[in-house]
Amino acid sequence: MPDAYPALWRFCISLTGRKDWAEEVAQTTCLRAIEKADGFEPGTHLDRWLMRIAHRLWLNELRARKVRTASGLVPVEEQDLADQKNNSAEANIFVSEVFSQISALPDAQRHAVTLVYVEGMSYREAADIMEIPIGTVMSRLAAARKTLNTKMPDEQRSTL
């Protein structure tokens, strides 16, 4: 494996674009290769086998990051957000704009807004779900309101 490591390292750098992430992927690749050594066919290229493992590990990491950062969510434009109480086109456009702004909030604020304002939960229920103090929920909601109010046009602010 020592002869193949420099090529693996370079490949990991090209995958990740960062030395610290490349180091993690390369080390994880080596560990996985040791665990799955029986899957290596003698006489084949060790470096290519390691790179295939590294590539799969990196793709899995990217998928996990999308989930952790919520960028794996479906874009709001693709959601059917029609207001069931008011089927006017203007109201539906407004709802879509609000959801676009909500989806741009930091994760913690977006979760609080969704639970309290969208799902109609109490502060206590939201705090229990997120496993945080109720004061933190209130703080996140206040910060989210402030951010949303600065981003929404003046004529729409009164409806938030």
Side-chain angles (χ1 to χ4, degrees), residues 74-81 96 99-100 103:
V74 177
V76 71
E77 294 81 20
E78 296 177 17
Q79 293 294 321
D80 181 20
L81 300 173
S96 292
F99 271 91
S100 291
S103 66

Side-chain angles (χ1 to χ4, degrees), residues 11-18 21-22 24-25 28 53-73:
F11 182 65
C12 290
I13 286 283
S14 72
L15 283 174
T16 65
R18 289 182 45 176
W21 291 351
E24 184 177 333
V25 172
T28 305
I53 293 171
H55 187 252
R56 288 180 185 146
L57 288 169
W58 181 243
L59 290 177
N60 289 340
E61 176 63 23
L62 289 177
R63 286 185 200 105
R65 286 178 193 206
K66 283 185 178 183
V67 171
R68 285 193 303 263
T69 62
S71 59
L73 299 176

Side-chain angles (χ1 to χ4, degrees), residues 79-122:
Q79 293 294 321
D80 181 20
L81 300 173
D83 183 351
Q84 300 301 319
K85 298 175 190 164
N86 184 348
N87 288 326
S88 73
E90 186 176 294
N92 291 337
I93 289 170
F94 176 68
V95 168
S96 292
E97 289 173 3
V98 170
F99 271 91
S100 291
Q101 296 301 323
I102 290 171
S103 66
L105 291 170
D107 288 350
Q109 292 176 15
R110 185 178 64 249
H111 298 157
V113 167
T114 301
L115 291 172
V116 174
Y117 296 139
V118 177
E119 298 301 325
M121 294 183 183
S122 69

